[in-house]
Amino acid sequence: MVDTATGFYRTRKYGLDRYFGPVDLGIHLTTEYRSLNFGVGIFAGSIFPGSNRLVVTGFSPCWQGYYVSSMGGAGLVFDNLGINMLSLVGKTPVPSVLFLNRNHGEEIEVEVVPVAVEEIWREGRTGVYSLTDAVYEKFGARYPNDPRILVTGPAAMHTDMGGIMSVPITKGKISYVDTWAGRGGFGSAMVRDHGIVAIIYGGTMVNEDFRDRTVADEWFRNKYDMRLMQKDLEATSKYRYDEKVGTGGTLGVNYATMGGRILAFNYRTIFWTEEARQTLHQEFVVKHYLRQFNEETIVPKQQATCGEPCMAVCKKMNGIYKKDYEPYQTMGPLCGIFDQRAAEKLNHHCDAMGFDAISGGGVLAWLMDLLDAKLLTPEELGVTRLPRWDMAKFDLVADSLHNAELGCELIDAILELRGILDFREGVRKWSRLHSHEKGVALHDRLVYIAFSRRGWMVPNQYWVAGALAPMSIMGKYYMVYSNDFIPPRELGRKCAERMKKELILDNLGICRFHRGWAEELLPEVMGTLYNCTEQFLRAIDVLASRLHSRNCPVFWESERNVDYLHTFLQRKQAVDGDLSPELAAWLEKFAMNKVEAGRDFWYETLKGIDERLREFF
Ligand code: SF4
């Protein structure tokens, strides 16, 4: 536990009885100290693929509640520090780098070193990238092995949605494969609550990690009749290459299969006919956006890992650009961008400035919508142009680029507080203020999940009911994003169950792309190795109910949220042919009064969640 105000630290030991991993212990420490915590799971350094996630816990500035975020691979180097968790408390008065090094000694060297960060963010590769370069240049030589660096960008200082970025460094070479703990805005927490803009860490500590492949293979054979490698290959095919759809990675597979479920132009497509959506998907995405991705990334196998040995190689690259579905969706079709060059430009700038890309992209799409609808002017938002969102004469390359350039202008405007923009306390509070002044609810066009008094979150980019569920942590996969119609009470119960499964993964520091075997097998391994399966699973129940006990969900404030659900239900019946009486009954309610029906649906979902997460008592 490092007090960043003084640089002093102390070490605490916790037995494997009450807390079992980075989430249950992290949430406990957050409650006790309001600390920001970085931890690894008990299998870090083991032969289990995906076991080296670095898990961040704390109080989220944008969600305004406890949150859990994680990044791939960064736990591998962290494990060499010989500790399982780092907690930040206190605040250094000037922006500083936290240096941690366990170099052949008993003690970890800890230094809090001031840096002229605003200057660094403006130089070289800019933002998070130039801060990585600067920190490595200053401290890299002090590590005998490659260290890892966590960095933030200007978004962390000037908004509540700044993420934390890190790239693997191999043999002194800084890679382009950026990994993010983006959701929850923990970059903003690190900078604004603790004054830390970057953390560099590494060491030479060798732990006794589980590395017996013969034993692991036997566990896998008993359960799946396959060796570890075989089962993992099968479980991660979507992320590597899915032969059925001829592409790979989240971007490839999701865009290849979504058809009429596409979301574009700040979700305006939910109001389109199925035929129009299908045409958009086919002409703009399949024939161009996805084709470019397949030709440039999948065919030449431009792929990498997050830093740990992993056969999923889920990081799909094009040169310096790493491509995941959700950022290339929110800063792609959602902003009216259907060309990879344009999307690369906007995503890269947003990443460099250190935003959580999903929230950042969702907000940009919303601001563009407000400009297009003439509810706000370019002057008010400190930009020079309007979006080109006219489908009738949309030029795939030129208009995509135009919209991406507008996106970049908006990012700069947000960071420089141009016009009436000021997101330091979040978009929801800002919208409340300006909606009041203008007499029009600006947030009616922002799809977001509201939490507590001013907490907010751009949902995951799937047009399904679960994406807007009233769970205590939203914006990640602590919910069910199935495309089926699930009656809300049942949906709530399923979301609660899903949350517990995801907590198993997070509390073990495991990448969820390996969930196909990890969430089932690893609790059993906890029994075999540490004799604590039951205690571990009970701790997950306690953790889930603990998080739920602080659930402050707020019914959808935005009309577009209600429409998002309503049109999802309509599409289920009209397009997917779900003729269940329960769906028909909900649609009747929506036809009578959509807001009241939405409220009933929302409360029914919450009842289901509550039912499952209180069961523990
Ligand atoms: S699936 Fe991707 S993020 Fe997960 S461990 Fe493998 S390379 Fe890392």
Side-chain angles (χ1 to χ4, degrees):
M1 183 171 284
V2 177
D3 183 345
T4 62
T6 58
F8 289 141
Y9 75 96
R10 62 197 157 115
T11 310
R12 274 213 184 146
K13 291 198 177 183
Y14 293 85
L16 205 59
D17 40 25
R18 192 158 162 205
Y19 305 111
F20 294 84
V23 184
D24 54 12
L25 181 57
I27 295 297
H28 165 71
L29 294 173
T30 302
T31 313
E32 290 285 303
Y33 305 103
R34 193 74 186 245
S35 54
L36 181 65
N37 316 292
F38 304 79
V40 291
I42 198 154
F43 296 117
S46 75
I47 52 164
F48 291 117
S51 58
N52 295 295
R53 255 185 126 68
L54 187 71
V55 181
V56 191
T57 50
F59 189 84
S60 157
C62 54
W63 183 240
Q64 290 285 301
Y66 291 163
Y67 209 84
V68 182
S69 199
S70 65
M71 64 167 63
L76 194 60
V77 178
F78 191 91
D79 200 40
N80 300 338
L81 275 173
I83 53 172
N84 305 96
M85 183 174 279
L86 161 75
S87 294
L88 303 183
V89 292
K91 184 177 180 185
T92 165
V94 285
S96 300
V97 175
L98 176 62
F99 168 86
L100 302 170
N101 190 5
R102 189 169 208 150
N103 193 355
H104 300 298
E106 282 303 301
E107 293 284 311
I108 301 179
E109 284 178 78
V110 178
E111 292 172 23
V112 177
V113 184
V115 278
V117 72
E118 303 258 17
E119 215 176 294
I120 294 171
W121 281 334
R122 280 193 298 270
E123 291 168 351
R125 296 196 289 152
T126 72
V128 295
Y129 303 114
S130 54
L131 185 56
T132 303
D133 295 343
V135 172
Y136 189 64
E137 199 182 310
K138 192 169 170 68
F139 300 101
R142 291 170 67 180
Y143 294 90
N145 303 331
D146 291 318
R148 189 120 176 181
I149 308 170
L150 310 177
V151 287
T152 58
M157 193 152 311
H158 304 297
T159 76
D160 63 349
M161 52 173 150
I164 301 174
M165 195 279 304
S166 178
V167 292
I169 301 173
T170 315
K171 296 196 176 114
K173 193 167 173 346
I174 296 171
S175 78
Y176 296 120
V177 190
D178 46 10
T179 64
W180 287 85
R183 309 254 62 195
F186 281 141
S188 301
M190 194 160 111
V191 173
R192 304 203 307 192
D193 297 345
H194 303 291
I196 298 297
V197 294
I199 303 175
I200 181 165
Y201 58 89
T204 51
M205 186 84 177
V206 182
N207 300 312
E208 272 186 40
D209 299 315
F210 174 76
R211 303 206 58 84
D212 191 333
R213 193 163 288 277
T214 319
V215 171
D217 279 341
E218 198 180 315
W219 292 333
F220 274 81
R221 240 186 244 114
N222 289 342
K223 201 154 191 82
Y224 305 111
D225 207 14
M226 283 184 228
R227 286 182 299 121
L228 187 164
M229 298 270 272
Q230 283 171 305
K231 180 64 190 171
D232 195 50
L233 264 176
E234 179 198 86
T236 55
S237 65
K238 168 178 176 181
Y239 307 107
R240 182 177 45 259
Y241 181 78
D242 187 340
E243 283 177 15
K244 288 195 285 301
V245 286
T247 183
T250 53
L251 191 157
V253 174
N254 285 339
Y255 278 127
T257 53
M258 70 174 43
R261 285 178 282 121
I262 188 165
L263 296 167
F265 301 109
N266 196 36
Y267 310 92
R268 287 184 191 179
T269 44
I270 61 176
F271 303 114
W272 293 12
T273 63
E274 178 68 8
E275 197 190 348
R277 284 191 297 260
Q278 291 277 5
T279 306
L280 176 77
H281 177 249
Q282 195 56 32
E283 298 302 317
F284 285 21
V285 175
V286 174
K287 288 189 185 164
H288 190 76
Y289 199 51
L290 177 60
R291 181 182 58 76
Q292 289 176 306
F293 172 75
N294 283 338
E295 287 173 5
E296 294 161 358
T297 297
I298 298 299
V299 173
K301 292 200 170 122
Q302 284 207 64
Q303 52 194 21
T305 75
C306 59
E308 70 168 281
C310 174
M311 291 181 299
V313 281
C314 75
K315 306 295 174 197
K316 304 302 183 201
M317 309 291 296
N318 182 28
I320 63 168
Y321 305 108
K322 190 209 70 192
K323 305 196 171 184
D324 287 316
Y325 165 64
E326 295 198 270
Y328 274 73
Q329 157 61 21
T330 57
M331 283 177 284
L334 208 65
C335 279
I337 295 168
F338 302 89
D339 178 67
Q340 291 290 339
R341 298 297 80 74
E344 284 164 358
K345 188 181 177 89
L346 179 55
N347 273 272
H348 191 70
H349 189 50
C350 183
D351 283 348
M353 294 303 109
F355 283 90
D356 161 23
I358 304 176
S359 285
V363 169
L364 295 179
W366 170 52
L367 295 176
M368 288 188 196
D369 194 342
L370 294 173
L371 286 171
D372 189 60
K374 309 273 185 292
L375 291 173
L376 291 177
T377 64
E379 294 71 37
E380 282 173 308
L381 296 185
V383 294
T384 61
R385 60 182 95 190
L386 292 168
R388 288 196 196 143
W389 277 13
D390 185 352
M391 270 302 287
K393 44 183 187 199
F394 196 90
D395 182 313
L396 268 184
V397 175
D399 290 347
S400 292
L401 183 62
H402 173 94
N403 293 332
E405 283 169 350
L406 170 59
C408 291
E409 280 191 43
L410 282 167
I411 286 172
D412 294 340
I414 290 168
L415 295 174
E416 290 165 16
L417 310 182
R418 286 191 214 146
I420 61 169
L421 284 173
D422 182 351
F423 290 160
R424 285 177 297 183
E425 289 192 272
V427 295
R428 194 171 151 215
K429 187 167 176 185
W430 179 85
S431 182
R432 205 181 287 150
L433 198 72
H434 292 283
S435 296
H436 186 69
E437 280 166 10
K438 291 194 161 279
V440 50
L442 300 173
H443 47 268
D444 263 346
R445 287 166 185 261
L446 175 66
V447 174
Y448 68 105
I449 307 144
F451 192 79
S452 185
R453 179 70 188 139
R454 67 175 172 87
W456 65 284
M457 184 64 59
V458 170
N460 297 104
Q461 293 294 298
Y462 297 88
W463 186 11
V464 296
L468 299 179
M471 294 286 289
S472 56
I473 291 182
M474 284 298 288
K476 51 189 286 151
Y477 296 100
Y478 287 6
M479 51 85 182
V480 169
Y481 55 113
S482 153
N483 181 43
D484 297 330
F485 165 69
I486 304 172
R489 188 74 165 246
E490 186 56 27
L491 176 67
R493 290 182 194 129
K494 287 191 162 171
C495 287
E497 292 305 328
R498 190 65 232 155
M499 179 192 204
K500 289 187 195 176
K501 295 267 196 251
E502 296 283 330
L503 283 172
I504 290 176
L505 297 172
D506 280 348
N507 208 28
L508 292 174
I510 300 284
C511 166
R512 70 184 299 277
F513 290 180
H514 300 269
R515 63 190 178 281
W517 54 266
E519 65 192 27
E520 182 180 52
L521 188 95
L522 288 181
E524 292 177 18
V525 175
M526 290 292 278
T528 316
L529 294 182
Y530 305 104
N531 196 24
C532 64
T533 301
E534 265 179 42
Q535 296 91 318
F536 172 71
L537 291 175
R538 187 175 156 77
I540 294 294
D541 284 343
V542 174
L543 174 61
S545 69
R546 191 173 192 181
L547 291 169
H548 177 65
S549 72
R550 291 179 176 254
N551 198 5
C552 304
V554 176
F555 173 59
W556 307 321
E557 296 166 334
S558 157
E559 188 179 7
R560 197 151 295 178
N561 275 31
V562 177
D563 292 331
Y564 187 93
L565 176 69
H566 185 193
T567 52
F568 162 75
L569 297 176
Q570 284 175 322
R571 189 178 178 281
K572 286 316 301 172
Q573 190 185 62
V575 178
D576 290 347
D578 185 331
L579 299 178
S580 70
E582 194 154 359
L583 174 56
W586 276 106
L587 283 169
E588 261 177 51
K589 281 192 190 186
F590 270 91
M592 274 157 52
N593 183 333
K594 69 179 183 182
V595 176
E596 276 313 297
R599 196 187 306 276
D600 286 348
F601 196 99
W602 187 89
Y603 270 106
E604 275 297 305
T605 312
L606 185 57
K607 281 187 202 167
I609 295 167
D610 196 58
E611 243 166 34
R612 277 293 183 275
L613 295 181
R614 277 189 202 279
E615 226 165 50
F616 164 70
F617 301 105

